[in-house]
Amino acid sequence: MSDWQMSSAWSVRTGSSAGVGQVGTYPYTVHGAGCRFVSDNGTEVDVDFAADGSEIFDLWRLGWYGLSLPEPLDVADQDLRTAARSLQPLLTEVRPGWFSVTN
């Protein structure tokens, strides 16, 4: 998703937009500390927002994404953790098990 789409999602989270709607081609639903986007093929991307508005995700969200793919992938948490950590410096582990795309 583009920066514009994610900033629009952040505006939803902060209350300046509706809790459900569509950003580009992705319908979204705001929940708790984040937002869930669903593509037209059913693939789900779920992120939380940190206090500064950056998008973060944990291993559960990454696993759920894999399971929602048209050809589902069921990957063990340890394998997800290893894969995410191998992507540093593209990803930053902001707290144990939680990652963000490095700016």
Side-chain angles (χ1 to χ4, degrees):
M1 277 177 239
S2 71
D3 289 340
W4 175 85
Q5 289 170 319
M6 291 311 295
S7 66
S8 295
W10 175 246
S11 69
V12 169
R13 176 69 184 102
T14 58
S16 58
S17 295
V20 295
Q22 188 154 332
V23 177
T25 61
Y26 295 90
Y28 66 80
T29 305
V30 175
H31 61 77
C35 194
R36 181 174 65 102
F37 300 86
V38 181
S39 72
D40 58 355
N41 70 3
T43 301
E44 297 183 19
V45 175
D46 192 338
V47 297
D48 274 5
F49 295 107
D52 65 359
S54 61
E55 306 86 36
I56 59 175
F57 60 91
D58 62 357
L59 299 176
W60 181 86
R61 284 166 179 73
L62 194 55
W64 188 252
Y65 166 79
L67 291 171
S68 74
L69 292 169
E71 293 185 32
L73 295 173
D74 189 5
V75 182
D77 281 355
Q78 184 57 43
D79 293 334
L80 290 171
R81 181 178 291 107
T82 299
R85 287 180 174 161
S86 76
L87 292 173
Q88 293 176 0
L90 299 173
L91 295 178
T92 300
E93 191 165 7
V94 295
R95 60 181 184 252
W98 285 82
F99 298 88
S100 179
V101 176
T102 303
N103 292 328

